[in-house]
Amino acid sequence: SQQGEEDPQALSIQEGENATMNCSYKTSINNLQWYRQNSGRGLVHLILIRSNEREKHSGRLRVTLDTSKKSSSLLITASRAADTASYFCATAVNNAGNMLTFGGGTRLMVKP
Amino acid sequence: GAVVSQHPSRVICKSGTSVKIECRSLDFQATTMFWYRQFPKQSLMLMATSNEGSKATYEQGVEKDKFLINHASLTLSTLTVTSAHPEDSSFYICSAGADTEAFFGQGTRLTVV
């Protein structure tokens, strides 16, 4: 079953704008990860944030985690047309931290 | 990061036949691998956990006799879709655990005609 819900389900922005995607989950987690998937392709790992972390940055990506609210957000700054893809949050629910449950995903379109 | 190779990337098969998908961890050993399925415009759903040397653990609603999983070595897990039907057409993707992270294969697009 899906653990996480993401919103929005779809997001359309202009190049240069920021894109924010939110993810909520239901149970305790070891870590939360964000992935990107281009249409019909495999997953690209973007960033992992552990349950004892609150914020993490990687290039134009900023991820926050609020374990009290069981929510996370992914911010992509200065978006580019190449950022067009589906973005999924995934929570690790086993002790090893590698068994993932995915959110519903956000389809992002960045218009040039 | 660690590399997981999945093969084939695309396969088209006739209804009623079986298809085998391989998932290999190339530079690390994985006692546990995971198989996911993704229908068009949907998210990934965990199908089963593949355990090296023992039986796979299937998620609720996944038929173990239809989706045969074999994890005979620490670097290879296979998923066989038996007696495939058009409704089995989907994107199948595996992951292998290394330490506390999961590394994904490239996925397999299965089309059953």
Side-chain angles (χ1 to χ4, degrees), chain A residues 1-2 31 33 35 37 40-43 45 48 50 88 94 96-100 102-104 107, chain B residues 34 36 38 41-46 49 59 91 93 95 97-102 104-106 109:
Chain A
S1 62
Q2 267 173 237
N31 64 60
Q33 304 179 44
Y35 289 86
Q37 184 181 39
R41 308 287 292 273
L43 295 174
H45 181 263
L48 179 151
R50 302 190 188 281
F88 295 93
N94 62 337
N98 54 19
M99 180 178 177
L100 301 181
F102 285 83
R107 293 191 305 279
Chain B
F34 303 95
Y36 297 82
Q38 184 182 32
K41 298 192 188 306
Q42 294 188 25
S43 186
L44 286 81
M45 299 295 288
L46 179 67
T49 303
E59 295 300 299
F91 188 68
I93 191 165
S95 74
D99 295 328
T100 58
E101 293 189 31
F104 284 84
Q106 305 93 320
R109 173 77 57 196

Side-chain angles (χ1 to χ4, degrees), chain A residues 30-41:
Chain A
N30 289 307
N31 64 60
L32 185 143
Q33 304 179 44
W34 285 90
Y35 289 86
R36 183 182 74 222
Q37 184 181 39
N38 290 81
S39 181
R41 308 287 292 273

Side-chain angles (χ1 to χ4, degrees), chain A:
Chain A
S1 62
Q2 267 173 237
Q3 148 104 288
E5 297 293 330
E6 289 185 56
D7 83 275
Q9 290 186 339
L11 179 61
S12 180
I13 59 175
Q14 292 294 134
E15 207 165 28
E17 295 180 339
N18 296 341
T20 300
M21 290 160 265
N22 302 296
C23 166
S24 61
Y25 57 93
K26 297 174 185 173
T27 64
S28 297
I29 60 172
N30 289 307
N31 64 60
L32 185 143
Q33 304 179 44
W34 285 90
Y35 289 86
R36 183 182 74 222
Q37 184 181 39
N38 290 81
S39 181
R41 308 287 292 273
L43 295 174
V44 174
H45 181 263
L46 295 177
I47 198 164
L48 179 151
I49 186 166
R50 302 190 188 281
S51 58
N52 61 352
E53 297 176 307
R54 292 296 168 259
E55 187 171 312
K56 205 161 183 180
H57 298 254
S58 177
R60 294 185 293 113
L61 305 180
R62 173 176 168 255
V63 167
T64 63
L65 179 64
D66 187 334
T67 53
S68 66
K69 295 181 180 178
K70 291 187 168 58
S71 67
S72 174
S73 67
L74 170 67
L75 168 67
I76 303 174
T77 60
S79 64
R80 305 167 183 169
D83 294 330
T84 295
S86 291
Y87 292 81
F88 295 93
C89 68
T91 51
V93 296
N94 62 337
N95 289 333
N98 54 19
M99 180 178 177
L100 301 181
T101 303
F102 285 83
T106 295
R107 293 191 305 279
L108 173 67
M109 174 171 287
V110 181
K111 300 175 183 177

Side-chain angles (χ1 to χ4, degrees), chain B residues 3-5 23-30 33 74-77 96:
Chain B
V3 178
V4 175
S5 177
C23 180
R24 293 181 186 274
S25 56
L26 297 186
D27 49 4
F28 66 101
Q29 293 183 330
M33 293 185 179
L74 287 170
T75 59
L76 174 64
S77 174

